[in-house]
Amino acid sequence: MKKKILITGGAGFIGSHVVRKFVKQYPEYTIINLDALTYAGNLENLKDIEKAANYYFEKINILDATQINSVFEKYAITDVIHLAAESHVDRSILSPIDFVYTNIAGTVNLLNAAKAYWKKDAHRFYHVSTDEVYGTLGNTGFFTEETRYSPNSPYSASKASSDHFVRAYGETYGLPYVITNCSNNYGPNQFPEKLIPLFIHNIVNKKPLPVYGKGDNTRDWLFVIDHAIAIDRVFHHGKNHETYNIGGFNEWKNIDLVKLLCKQMDEKLGNNSGTSEALISYVKDRPGHDLRYAIDASKINKELGWKPSVSLEEGLSQTIDWYLDNSQWLEDVTSGVYKEYIRSNK
Ligand code: NAD
Ligand code: TDX
């Protein structure tokens, strides 16, 4: 059966890298990118492949079950790679209900469509999730696929719930699924609300760098291209009804990461050393701020042969270069022009 893959959230940060990879690497597949183009979705991310013969775009909200069913019917969808989500923890603290709608109800709409249209086993519902579902670690230890779910933010609670629904559809209706829980991504095309692109944007504009608390929180960082490679590997070779953790083997305390970013920015901008670090401003901590995430990615490493290819120093340098070379992209997504574009496209 020729694959017709529905990729949701394909205009977002990670989704656009996954769509590009699949469109280019698998010309024999049909790739349908379904995205509502919220503030985080941007078709500029896909300019280079938008005319590819095997690529289609559908501007649809995953809360609209009728339209999702129409897409399944129109393209005879064989597989789903589900990335559409509200993805920012700080926004989830301001408005949890948006996360309930998109991340939980939206996921259930997609599961219902898959359940209704797929009559045989030769399908796959791939749910892209986060390590934040496991809650927080102390100073030692790692999250494994067996770690108990213990989400602390409205964002991670909504993602945990969506993971449970995917698993429940597997158990109850026999839906063939796979889930991956991945650590913090960084790289080109990330919306400048997340730590790394926000700080790049602020350094360029000589604005303060708001480090939450004392900057002691630790994250495991993964270059987005390595995540896309892992998704490709799991999609093609992962086992049904299994979970795989994906991580960078790359833990950094926020303050150390920010100082590295400042150093690289100073070098690239030709600043005196210490110029960017002087912008660091310690601010009130994020409520419920998880102390430390660290992934044990030995399952995907041993079973599927995946490991990250890029060190943080290397990936960060490439990321900064991308943002400096694409200042118009950054300008557009942070100015009213882009908001107007979204409004006029509704
Ligand atoms: P993002 O916010 O950059 O992109 C989300 C995309 O989903 C956007 O294109 C947006 O338009 C679309 N979308 C949002 N609501 C929608 C709706 N109701 N209907 C249709 N489309 C909608 O997110 P991201 O960082 O690329 O994350 C993608 C996925 O990966 C998410 O499920 C997220 O939970 C997961 N994830 C992200 C990270 C990370 O570090 N960014 C790490 C692990 C897992
Ligand atoms: O201004 C900031 N100052 C700051 O100190 C921001 C935006 C963040 N931080 C801290 C909070 C975190 O400890 O930096 C760390 C990274 O923050 P985010 O970029 O907001 O990411 P995080 O909250 O860790 O969640 C991310 O990784 C897991 C993604 O947003 C999620 O979608 C993903 O699931």
Side-chain angles (χ1 to χ4, degrees):
M1 182 170 46
K2 210 170 153 242
K3 287 194 180 300
K4 294 172 179 166
I5 308 172
L6 182 69
I7 301 185
T8 71
F13 165 48
I14 302 170
S16 61
H17 289 278
V18 175
V19 165
R20 175 176 301 101
K21 182 170 180 50
F22 274 70
V23 165
K24 284 190 166 176
Q25 199 167 324
Y26 304 106
E28 70 277 23
Y29 296 171
T30 303
I31 303 299
I32 301 97
N33 172 11
L34 183 156
D35 197 298
L37 298 183
T38 69
Y39 79 94
N42 187 348
L43 289 177
E44 284 297 315
N45 296 345
L46 292 164
K47 268 271 170 261
D48 56 326
I49 55 105
E50 68 182 3
K51 296 207 164 67
N54 63 337
Y55 173 71
Y56 297 85
F57 175 69
E58 295 282 350
K59 182 175 180 294
I60 287 173
N61 193 309
I62 56 170
L63 289 172
D64 190 334
T66 310
Q67 286 212 60
I68 290 176
N69 289 336
S70 309
V71 164
F72 267 74
E73 203 152 321
K74 177 173 167 190
Y75 296 97
I77 298 297
T78 60
D79 300 84
V80 172
I81 304 179
H82 176 35
L83 293 114
E86 286 293 340
S87 70
H88 193 42
V89 174
D90 290 330
R91 286 181 192 257
S92 83
I93 295 168
L94 291 174
S95 180
I97 196 72
D98 297 332
F99 288 69
V100 174
Y101 291 144
T102 288
N103 298 359
I104 307 176
T107 299
V108 173
N109 279 339
L110 286 163
L111 289 166
N112 280 337
K115 170 174 160 283
Y117 283 89
W118 295 345
K119 300 297 174 208
K120 293 191 188 122
D121 251 4
H123 301 286
R124 172 157 278 182
F125 190 101
Y126 182 154
H127 182 56
V128 176
S129 193
T130 170
D131 60 356
E132 300 199 16
V133 299
Y134 299 123
T136 188
L137 291 164
N139 289 323
T140 56
F142 295 92
F143 296 136
T144 73
E145 288 79 2
E146 274 71 50
T147 303
R148 191 172 68 93
Y149 274 34
S150 186
N152 290 319
S153 71
Y155 163 71
S156 54
S158 69
K159 291 297 291 187
S161 176
S162 64
D163 291 8
H164 291 321
F165 269 104
V166 173
R167 195 178 161 278
Y169 271 62
E171 292 298 313
T172 307
Y173 308 110
L175 190 81
Y177 77 85
V178 66
I179 299 174
T180 50
N181 296 89
C182 184
S183 62
N184 284 57
N185 284 218
Y186 69 98
N189 306 99
Q190 188 169 31
F191 194 83
E193 62 189 354
K194 309 286 197 303
L195 180 73
I196 289 178
L198 175 70
F199 280 27
I200 293 173
H201 178 251
N202 286 8
I203 290 171
V204 168
N205 293 289
K206 302 184 176 57
K207 284 164 66 179
L209 308 177
V211 172
Y212 297 160
K214 294 186 181 139
D216 283 340
N217 303 68
T218 299
R219 298 290 183 265
D220 171 58
W221 292 95
L222 180 66
F223 194 48
V224 65
I225 307 283
D226 278 328
H227 190 186
I229 293 169
I231 288 175
D232 180 359
R233 199 70 59 85
V234 173
F235 177 77
H236 287 101
H237 304 291
K239 288 197 201 111
N240 276 337
H241 296 217
E242 293 263 342
T243 285
Y244 298 86
N245 281 351
I246 304 174
F249 301 99
N250 214 345
E251 274 185 61
W252 284 74
K253 237 179 214 187
N254 288 345
I255 191 61
D256 296 336
L257 170 66
V258 168
K259 285 183 178 167
L260 173 66
L261 176 69
C262 287
K263 185 167 168 282
Q264 290 197 357
M265 287 292 289
D266 282 346
E267 282 163 13
K268 288 178 194 288
L269 295 172
N271 290 338
N272 291 330
S273 137
T275 306
S276 299
E277 256 193 63
L279 295 170
I280 291 176
S281 157
Y282 293 92
V283 299
K284 194 168 159 286
D285 208 353
R286 173 187 277 175
H289 197 175
D290 287 332
L291 177 68
R292 176 171 166 260
Y293 303 144
I295 284 268
D296 177 350
S298 47
K299 179 175 174 182
I300 186 171
N301 177 246
K302 284 196 192 111
E303 291 187 16
L304 305 181
W306 175 89
K307 65 173 180 349
S309 65
V310 175
S311 71
L312 181 80
E313 287 84 346
E314 210 180 318
L316 194 59
S317 172
Q318 283 185 38
T319 303
I320 296 170
D321 288 345
W322 186 86
Y323 279 96
L324 295 180
D325 290 346
N326 290 273
S327 52
Q328 193 57 48
W329 184 95
L330 203 49
E331 173 63 23
D332 289 348
V333 301
T334 49
S335 74
V337 179
Y338 184 58
K339 290 195 193 97
E340 193 47 53
Y341 160 77
I342 293 279
R343 220 171 287 127
S344 64
N345 272 276
K346 280 214 164 130

